[in-house]
Amino acid sequence: GSSVSVHIARTSDERDSAINLMPTDELLVEQFIDGRELTVGLLDDQALPIIEIQPASGIYDYEAKYHRDDTVYRVNPDLPPELASQLNQFSLTLSRVLDIRHLCRVDFLLDEHGPWLLEINPMPGFTSHSLLPMAASAHGLELPDLCRELVQMAFSSAQGTVR
């Protein structure tokens, strides 16, 4: 989680070196996709503004996510409108199919072949660097109001009412 111990290997020697650093029972190897990193936050079955993540150097790892202040976050990045709509619709459909309530964040990489789904996060962070609160703020919902909305949604669900 949070891109801890991520290694990008561009050669077989780099791959072998990275594999030797990790316990074999904790190893996940994926194809590297060199593309733009985008995220779609969802709140109460509504897509929030898309955010593009641009680390100042290297990859969007733990340090870039939580400690560094030089990562650039672009709200409503320059995307073709049909692509932005596709990302939003796919995110909404995925959250509905998985029956995720109230909030989540869906992450993508975008390269010349199109968008690649990275993950869906059903409980995104709420730190000073967190993307869902950032998207909610761009939508006009500051953190205290976002928290209030989430509590009200949870209360309504517990009472069996639908919003």
Side-chain angles (χ1 to χ4, degrees):
S2 296
S3 304
V4 173
S5 298
V6 169
H7 300 274
I8 304 296
R10 298 183 194 280
T11 67
S12 57
D13 287 341
E14 289 176 352
R15 178 202 60 217
D16 294 344
S17 176
I19 288 172
N20 289 330
L21 293 173
M22 299 297 296
T24 56
D25 62 340
E26 295 180 13
L27 187 63
L28 173 66
V29 178
E30 298 177 328
Q31 173 185 338
F32 178 70
I33 299 167
D34 189 14
R36 297 167 68 183
E37 190 156 356
L38 304 167
T39 188
V40 178
L42 302 178
L43 181 64
D44 201 21
D45 208 35
Q46 177 182 4
L48 297 171
I50 295 172
I51 296 177
E52 180 174 5
I53 303 140
Q54 296 176 311
S57 62
I59 63 170
Y60 191 48
D61 62 4
Y62 186 86
E63 287 298 313
K65 288 179 182 182
Y66 299 106
H67 296 293
R68 295 176 58 168
D69 290 323
D70 57 357
T71 299
V72 175
Y73 301 97
R74 297 201 190 288
V75 178
N76 291 317
D78 184 25
L79 296 171
E82 60 278 358
L83 175 61
S85 179
Q86 177 188 19
L87 293 173
N88 287 338
Q89 192 55 53
F90 181 78
S91 300
L92 287 163
T93 300
L94 182 60
S95 72
R96 290 172 188 150
V97 166
L98 295 174
D99 199 26
I100 295 175
R101 296 182 306 157
H102 310 316
L103 81 158
C104 69
R105 199 189 69 240
V106 185
D107 299 337
F108 299 91
L109 286 175
L110 177 65
D111 69 4
E112 67 275 4
H113 303 291
W116 298 78
L117 173 66
L118 284 177
E119 69 173 335
I120 186 166
N121 185 338
M123 191 59 241
F126 275 69
T127 71
S128 62
H129 289 72
S130 293
L131 298 163
L132 189 127
M134 191 182 302
S137 177
H139 185 67
L141 195 60
E142 296 302 325
L143 189 58
D145 296 321
L146 172 61
C147 292
R148 186 177 305 105
E149 284 289 317
L150 290 169
V151 169
Q152 289 172 344
M153 285 183 244
F155 184 73
S156 292
S157 291
Q159 299 299 315
T161 59
V162 179
R163 284 189 56 165

